[in-house]
Amino acid sequence: MGKLTVRALRAVLVVVLAGTVLVQVLMVWTLVSGSDPEDGSVPLTAFRVITILGLVSAQVALFCVWRLVAMVRRGTVFSHAAFRYVDGVIGAIVAAALVWFAVTAVNAPGQRDDPGVTVIMAGIGVAILGVALIVLVLRMLLAQALVRDVEAAQMQAELDEVI
């Protein structure tokens, strides 16, 4: 992975992390200060709490991607340590899907006249879970690559002994 690619990805990760932290701080401030303009028509407090939790899952994924990029840069991504971060990404995506389902559940009573919105939102939640499954498949590919790397090292060691 090139230096420019790594720098660009890290810049994007920093900007997204700063944005999520800013939104979290503003939402927590709104909840704590009591200046919530909720009039009872929309459960804004519940949406704010759910959003804060959703942003935490995004931050976990950002951290794990940062660590994986560092491992790629050092050439150590084909190690057992990488699985911890890939599992973190999978967990964060599943958490984001659960948060989305919570948003769907909180939003559903307001959509009684148009239940299609709730169905579409539930479909988006299923799609988010599909992304987690794709990352799980990629984790399995990483496991296979690690096994092949170990086998290649063993074969190289045997070849070195013969020569």
Side-chain angles (χ1 to χ4, degrees):
M1 186 179 268
K3 287 184 181 183
L4 180 62
T5 306
V6 170
R7 287 183 182 151
L9 180 56
R10 285 186 174 170
V12 169
L13 292 174
V14 166
V15 168
V16 172
L17 181 63
T20 59
V21 169
L22 177 66
V23 170
Q24 278 179 318
V25 167
L26 291 173
M27 287 194 173
V28 168
W29 175 255
T30 301
L31 290 172
V32 171
S33 69
S35 62
D36 193 351
E38 184 173 353
D39 63 354
S41 61
V42 179
L44 291 178
T45 301
F47 280 131
R48 284 192 178 97
V49 171
I50 292 168
T51 301
I52 291 167
L53 294 174
L55 291 174
V56 168
S57 70
Q59 291 164 346
V60 168
L62 291 170
F63 172 77
C64 291
V65 169
W66 183 282
R67 296 297 301 156
L68 286 168
V69 168
M71 293 179 81
V72 168
R73 188 75 184 126
R74 288 190 312 258
T76 59
V77 75
F78 292 111
S79 66
H80 291 288
F83 289 109
R84 172 180 34 210
Y85 300 115
V86 175
D87 291 340
V89 171
I90 293 169
I93 294 170
V94 169
L98 294 175
V99 165
W100 184 257
F101 286 130
V103 168
T104 303
V106 170
N107 189 50
Q111 299 298 327
R112 291 184 186 178
D113 293 337
D114 190 10
V117 172
T118 303
V119 172
I120 291 169
M121 289 178 72
I124 291 170
V126 172
I128 295 170
L129 287 175
V131 172
L133 289 173
I134 290 169
V135 176
L136 180 63
V137 169
L138 294 173
R139 182 192 187 282
M140 291 180 205
L141 291 173
L142 176 64
Q144 285 180 348
L146 185 60
V147 168
R148 298 290 182 261
D149 192 43
V150 169
E151 289 174 355
Q154 288 173 346
M155 292 175 75
Q156 183 66 40
E158 291 174 6
L159 187 60
D160 288 344
E161 287 179 14
V162 170
I163 297 177

